[in-house]
């Protein structure tokens, strides 16, 4: 049996060479299937080791380094949608359409993804950085950018966080877009839309097709002091590590 350190080292390597797993996305191209199979075997090997799941070991900040599905699906916002649809085929179709719309022609790309778990406040905070118009030019003829690059940090707050055995349970509350250092705010819209919380739960509950409040659950399938591996209701994998540089400052996630 391989040692934990060797297994985790190989996980890091696959996460790096597959661009956090996004080169395994079959919507883009069914490439590197051998890497997907290798990652499955590595995760299976880690699960065979004994590990403790506790609020203390889960608490703090984490950064996503790998997923075998779209990265944005790690957010409680999309996990709640997945649970509400209650149908894997419908969920996959919804996420496929979302990916096509936001990712077409490279209009929007996802940067770093962070989560902060706070059992004292019973809060689960998730964020991802997004850039808009990273590279825009006239195909073949163009040699300069047509549009400047904009972007922001999408922050989602879930409350009523509870650990039940190996399950994290939470209720989606609100979301906002904040400024990211190095990225320009979106002109015109930034003053109206950015740096303010939007009450997702309140809107969700008023929609007639939603039968219950936005709730989501994720399973913990491996945990130690530096790595956390999660699984959603249909088995999609999300691997996190402790970040070397914090993404979630207290100012950016203020509830005010």
């Amino acid at each position: 049996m391989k040692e934990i350190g060797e297994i985790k080292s190989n996980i890091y390597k696959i996460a790096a060479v597959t661009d956090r797993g996004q080169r395994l996305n079959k919507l883009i191209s069914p490439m590197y299937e051998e890497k997907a199979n290798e990652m499955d075997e590595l995760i299976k090997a880690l699960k065979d080791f004994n590990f403790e799941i506790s609020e203390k070991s889960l608490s703090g900040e984490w950064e996503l380094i790998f997923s075998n599905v779209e990265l944005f699906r790690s957010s409680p916002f999309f996990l709640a949608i997945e649970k509400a649809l209650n149908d894997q085929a419908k969920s996959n179709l919804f996420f496929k359409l979302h990916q096509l719309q936001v990712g077409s022609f490279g209009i929007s790309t996802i940067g770093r993804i962070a989560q902060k778990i706070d059992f004292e406040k019973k809060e689960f905070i998730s964020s991802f950085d997004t850039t808009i118009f990273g590279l825009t030019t006239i195909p073949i003829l163009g040699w300069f950018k047509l549009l400047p690059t904009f972007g922001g940090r999408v922050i989602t707050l879930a409350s009523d966080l509870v650990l039940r055995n190996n399950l994290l349970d939470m209720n989606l509350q609100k979301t906002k877009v904040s400024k990211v250092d190095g990225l320009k705010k979106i002109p015109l819209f930034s003053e109206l839309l950015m740096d303010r919380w939007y009450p997702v739960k309140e809107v969700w509950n008023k929609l007639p097709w939603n039968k219950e409040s936005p709730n989501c659950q994720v399973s913990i399938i491996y945990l130690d002091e530096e790595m956390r591996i999660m699984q959603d209701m249909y088995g999609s994998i999300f691997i996190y590590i402790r970040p070397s540089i914090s993404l979630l400052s207290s100012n950016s996630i203020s509830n005010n």
Side-chain angles (χ1 to χ4, degrees):
M1 179 182 290
K2 293 182 179 179
E3 296 295 328
I4 290 181
E6 182 182 358
I7 295 172
K8 289 165 63 174
S9 176
N10 288 332
I11 287 176
Y12 297 146
K13 291 176 183 177
I14 295 175
V17 301
T18 62
D19 186 18
R20 294 182 292 179
Q22 297 313 284
R23 292 297 171 262
L24 307 177
N25 192 320
K26 294 183 179 180
L27 176 61
I28 300 172
S29 180
M31 300 168 63
Y32 313 128
E33 290 190 12
E34 72 282 359
K35 291 297 182 184
N37 295 332
E38 184 181 354
M39 181 63 88
D40 289 341
E41 291 300 318
L42 291 169
I43 293 173
K44 183 179 179 181
L46 272 185
K47 290 166 63 177
D48 290 337
F49 289 92
N50 293 324
F51 57 92
E52 178 188 0
I53 299 175
S54 67
E55 292 184 357
K56 182 179 179 180
S57 55
L58 283 165
S59 295
E61 191 170 336
W62 299 86
E63 181 170 0
L64 183 68
I65 64 164
F66 179 89
S67 178
N68 59 359
V69 293
E70 296 82 4
L71 298 174
F72 60 78
R73 291 172 65 167
S74 61
S75 168
F77 181 87
F78 292 100
L79 290 170
I81 291 175
E82 181 179 63
K83 184 180 179 183
L85 290 172
N86 197 32
D87 184 292
Q88 187 173 10
K90 290 181 180 179
S91 296
N92 288 339
L93 177 60
F94 174 85
F95 295 133
K96 176 182 178 180
L97 294 175
H98 179 79
Q99 177 80 341
L100 287 170
Q101 292 301 314
V102 301
S104 294
F105 305 105
I107 291 175
S108 175
T109 55
I110 293 179
R112 296 178 68 184
I113 297 173
Q115 293 182 346
K116 187 174 183 179
I117 300 173
D118 189 332
F119 284 100
E120 291 186 0
K121 296 181 179 179
K122 295 185 178 181
E123 289 182 347
F124 186 101
I125 298 169
S126 177
S127 78
F128 65 87
D129 296 345
T130 180
T131 57
I132 302 172
F133 304 136
L135 293 173
T136 51
T137 188
I138 301 173
I140 302 176
L141 301 177
W143 52 273
F144 58 90
K145 288 182 64 174
L146 294 175
L147 298 169
T149 299
F150 307 109
R153 177 165 296 160
V154 182
I155 302 173
T156 299
L157 172 66
S159 64
D160 307 315
L161 177 65
V162 177
L163 173 63
R164 296 190 178 95
N165 297 320
N166 71 324
L167 199 70
L168 281 178
D169 185 288
M170 67 199 82
N171 294 317
L172 178 62
Q173 287 292 335
K174 51 190 177 180
T175 190
K176 72 174 179 177
V177 181
S178 296
K179 187 181 185 307
V180 177
D181 291 339
L183 275 178
K184 296 180 180 179
K185 291 184 176 181
I186 303 172
L188 302 178
F189 293 100
S190 61
E191 296 299 324
L192 296 174
L193 303 178
M194 294 184 70
D195 295 314
R196 62 180 64 189
W197 287 106
Y198 291 90
V200 177
K201 182 179 180 180
E202 293 181 18
V203 175
W204 180 293
N205 288 335
K206 291 178 181 179
L207 297 176
W209 54 82
N210 287 326
K211 299 179 181 179
E212 57 184 30
S213 293
N215 170 269
C216 63
Q217 299 173 336
V218 280
S219 301
I220 305 154
I221 61 174
Y222 179 78
L223 178 67
D224 65 24
E225 66 277 2
E226 61 182 19
M227 178 177 283
R228 173 168 62 96
I229 304 180
M230 311 297 290
Q231 183 174 277
D232 74 2
M233 61 187 294
Y234 296 123
S236 300
I237 296 296
F238 305 93
I239 302 178
Y240 302 85
I241 61 170
R242 296 290 187 181
S244 57
I245 300 175
S246 174
L247 279 79
L248 295 171
S249 67
S250 57
N251 290 334
S252 67
I253 59 178
S254 171
N255 289 341
N256 297 328

